[in-house]
Amino acid sequence: MKVLVPIKRVVDFNVKIRVKPDQTGVDLANVKMSMNPFDEIAIEEAIRLKEKGSATEIIAVSIGPQEAQETIRTALAMGADRGILVKAGQDVEPLAVAKILAAIAKIENPSLIILGKQAIDDDSNQTGQMLAALLGWAQGTFASKVVIADGKAEVTREVDGGLQTVRLTLPAIVTTDLRLNEPRYASLPNIMKAKKKPIDMKAPEDYGVDATPRLKVLKVTEPPKRKAGVKVKSVQELVDKLKNEAGVI
Amino acid sequence: MAALLVAEHDNKSLKEATAKAMSAALKLGGPVDILVAGSGVKAVADAAAKIAGAGKVLLADDPQYANQLAEPMAALILELAGKYDAIVTSASASGKNYMPRVAAALDVPQLSEIVSVDGPDIFTRPIYAGNAMAQVQTPSGAKKVITVRTTAFKPAELTGSASVEAIGAAKNPGVSEFVREELSKSERPELAAAKIIISGGRGMQSGENFHMLEKVADRLKAGVGASRAAVDAGFVPNDYQVGQTGKVVAPELYIAVGISGAIQHLAGMKDSKVIVAINKDEEAPIFQVADYGLVADLFKAIPELDDELKKQGY
Ligand SMILES: Cc1cc2nc3c(=O)[nH]c(=O)nc-3n(C[C@H](O)[C@H](O)[C@H](O)COP(=O)(O)OP(=O)(O)OC[C@H]3O[C@@H](n4cnc5c(N)ncnc54)[C@H](O)[C@@H]3O)c2cc1C
Ligand SMILES: Nc1ncnc2c1ncn2[C@@H]1O[C@H](COP(=O)(O)O)[C@@H](O)[C@H]1O
């Protein structure tokens, strides 16, 4: 069983981003970039499926600038077998990403595609579901547990009220939630080995996809700031303020 | 510009999120119909008919919609999509699940978690955990597929009396089936609807200790939430998580206890009207967004808070 794992290079989750003064976007110059945390979880899950004998090959795919190759190397060092870099800008929208991934899926015929539930830069939470639609496959989003057996994937999903378990016919799409696993760190020998693993270089045109954004970004602004508050000295003072000043209890 | 609003419900009752998403849908400027898809949901459809602004309520009552699985839900919405210029729902776990599937099938981008409608085709949505707001314009003539961050909209009034029209089910793609669900049972208000929320973080140290927060919550009729760290540590179930990748809440009062205030947590609660932070570390970033900060050991402060509220008759 082949597993495809799309991974995105995004601003590291620890970075406090800054909006550009001209309101055209977020300042990405000299900012630390990393693999989207949910995608690390996706790679880890694929590796665990391989270690259990359910998966045979793991292909990491990234759509983005040349530097996204580093992100693919990280995935290869964790344990993915090979990579595909589809060179494009940083602002490819989920629909175009899904179209490129759908084209790759038709070539590679994976039984499972594991994506992150959400890229922490655009916070779209769309790509996996869109890919499932384009391929006509079932989807198990926000997964906290994945069991593969008898040509099906049983996926436990984190939903608003708790957990929901669905059974999907393979091939299928899974998107990861935080509790699915804890991703491993790549060991030094594996980082060395990863340098020899192959990465295919492609472009959106190779898949017949126009990656031009459809949505026009008119402006990007800072959110309204909260006014600085006060420190209270005691629980009594707190209750008094909540009752008599803020009037919320 | 006609819009179809997909209702959020649990087969028994309509969620208030639907009336909030209605306010966003109405801003598109055209008539809005509501789709209620579920199993045994006549009462839900009747409730939806009371939402002011509803043109009519389409009722798809069929077992295949009982659990809101993405594949049949998307198939049904796509059957209806031809008549509408916009398809809207709340950005709940279930809306986030089926809506992008609808968008891709229609070959249009999805607008995720909009917080305002600035023009018939102009919308604002948060990016980077709410540290930036993007105002975007959709391509002219294209259908709009939208999920709404309901904390940003007031609910539409319940003064309507739309007609309810039963519609047939769409063909189920048949690639997925429901196995089971484990829903957290709680007498307390759910986070999306709670006027007051008290959340605990890693500082709580154990699930047992959350009982202290629950006592205070019961006095204030509050919901109980948590940080990711508290959920990951197994103190409380996943549906307690507030944040960028959990639930987004904006109650009248949010009390953060033993939570440091990572940007991912702030993303889910910083639009609350009043924020209280109780933390023993006076440098904790949570104090930067708190209206009232109390630097204290929570194991002392929370029992005191409980006593004080009790004394004052809560
Ligand atoms: C992709 C991704 C998504 C994420 N999504 C979310 C999300 O949706 N929601 C979320 O919350 N986090 C999220 N996080 C995690 C986030 O980055 C933080 O790690 C997390 O919020 C920290 O939780 P915490 O504040 O409870 O723990 P800590 O940061 O460990 O803080 C604990 C706090 O408790 C205080 N404390 C300890 N003991 C006491 C005591 N006795 N009395 C008083 N105070 C005490 C400490 O001073 C400290 O400030 C995400 C992270 C990633 C990478
Ligand atoms: N440019 C990209 N390259 C590879 N994978 C991507 C890209 N964009 C999104 N994805 C995948 O889709 C998931 C969800 O992203 P999004 O829909 O943008 O929130 C991510 O976690 C990745 O697995």
Side-chain angles (χ1 to χ4, degrees), chain A:
Chain A
M1 180 177 92
K2 254 195 223 179
V3 182
L4 199 68
V5 184
I7 54 175
K8 187 176 187 186
R9 177 177 178 269
V10 298
V11 170
D12 187 84
F13 80 97
N14 267 317
V15 171
K16 174 109 178 59
I17 55 101
R18 281 205 341 262
V19 170
K20 287 188 197 159
D22 65 0
Q23 302 195 336
T24 55
V26 164
D27 196 350
L28 295 184
N30 303 318
V31 164
K32 182 176 179 213
M33 306 290 282
S34 302
M35 191 189 309
N36 184 40
F38 288 101
D39 306 354
E40 287 181 359
I41 298 172
I43 290 280
E44 175 66 32
E45 195 63 15
I47 297 169
R48 291 188 189 185
L49 288 173
K50 194 173 167 192
E51 288 169 346
K52 270 190 227 145
S54 325
T56 49
E57 188 184 25
I58 303 165
I59 309 163
V61 185
S62 192
I63 296 142
Q66 179 64 36
E67 293 86 344
Q69 193 177 346
E70 293 314 308
T71 315
I72 296 180
R73 287 277 170 226
T74 307
L76 297 176
M78 286 172 75
D81 296 295
R82 62 186 168 95
I84 302 175
L85 171 63
V86 183
K87 267 211 254 175
Q90 180 67 40
D91 57 353
V92 185
E93 289 172 353
L95 181 59
V97 170
K99 285 181 180 178
I100 292 168
L101 295 173
I104 293 175
K106 283 183 187 143
I107 296 165
E108 299 283 354
N109 289 310
S111 303
L112 196 62
I113 305 180
I114 313 179
L115 305 88
K117 84 163 175 182
Q118 171 173 344
I120 60 164
D121 51 1
D122 62 35
D123 283 334
S124 289
N125 194 334
Q126 301 176 2
T127 309
Q129 299 88 315
M130 289 185 150
L131 180 57
L134 298 178
L135 293 168
W137 294 3
Q139 66 187 55
T141 54
F142 325 149
S144 64
K145 191 172 175 207
V146 177
V147 180
I148 306 288
D150 310 323
K152 305 255 180 188
E154 201 168 280
V155 180
T156 302
R157 311 180 48 236
E158 296 200 357
V159 295
D160 285 341
L163 296 170
Q164 180 193 64
T165 303
V166 291
R167 191 177 296 121
L168 314 175
T169 305
L170 295 179
I173 302 289
V174 166
T175 77
T176 62
D177 216 316
L178 295 168
R179 258 69 62 180
L180 183 56
N181 61 50
E182 227 178 279
R184 70 194 63 192
Y185 291 102
S187 67
L188 197 56
N190 285 344
I191 293 173
M192 300 313 288
K193 262 194 250 164
K195 295 195 171 143
K196 298 207 190 68
K197 293 182 181 176
I199 301 180
D200 268 355
M201 297 293 178
K202 296 285 187 186
E205 301 77 54
D206 295 336
Y207 303 105
V209 176
D210 176 4
T212 319
R214 303 261 194 103
L215 294 174
K216 187 168 162 197
V217 178
L218 301 178
K219 63 177 181 194
V220 175
T221 52
E222 275 190 37
K225 283 225 161 42
R226 286 190 78 94
K227 272 209 284 321
V230 297
K231 291 257 168 62
V232 292
K233 293 212 168 46
S234 66
V235 163
Q236 287 69 27
E237 188 187 348
L238 176 64
V239 171
D240 175 64
K241 295 254 192 211
L242 291 178
K243 202 170 161 181
N244 302 317
E245 189 175 272
V248 287
I249 61 170

Side-chain angles (χ1 to χ4, degrees), chain B residues 22-106:
Chain B
M22 178 59 126
S23 297
L26 287 169
K27 289 206 169 144
L28 297 170
V32 182
D33 290 344
I34 301 180
L35 170 64
V36 175
S39 181
V41 280
K42 178 70 173 62
V44 176
D46 290 340
K50 296 202 175 75
I51 298 181
K56 64 182 169 198
V57 174
L58 304 174
L59 167 62
D61 204 331
D62 192 283
Q64 65 171 301
Y65 305 123
N67 303 291
Q68 306 283 303
L69 295 195
E71 301 81 1
M73 283 296 291
L76 174 66
I77 296 165
L78 285 165
E79 260 194 12
L80 303 167
K83 293 198 206 93
Y84 298 95
D85 308 297
I87 304 175
V88 182
T89 196
S90 42
S92 62
S94 113
K96 286 174 179 174
N97 189 31
Y98 60 72
M99 214 49 150
R101 208 174 161 102
V102 171
L106 293 170

Side-chain angles (χ1 to χ4, degrees), chain B residues 10 32 52 122 128 132 153 157 171 183 195 200 206 231 249 256 292:
Chain B
D10 58 5
V32 182
I122 301 178
Y128 289 91
F153 294 88
E157 308 256 338
K171 186 170 180 292
L183 299 184
K195 298 264 182 296
S206 74
V231 176
V249 298
Y292 302 110

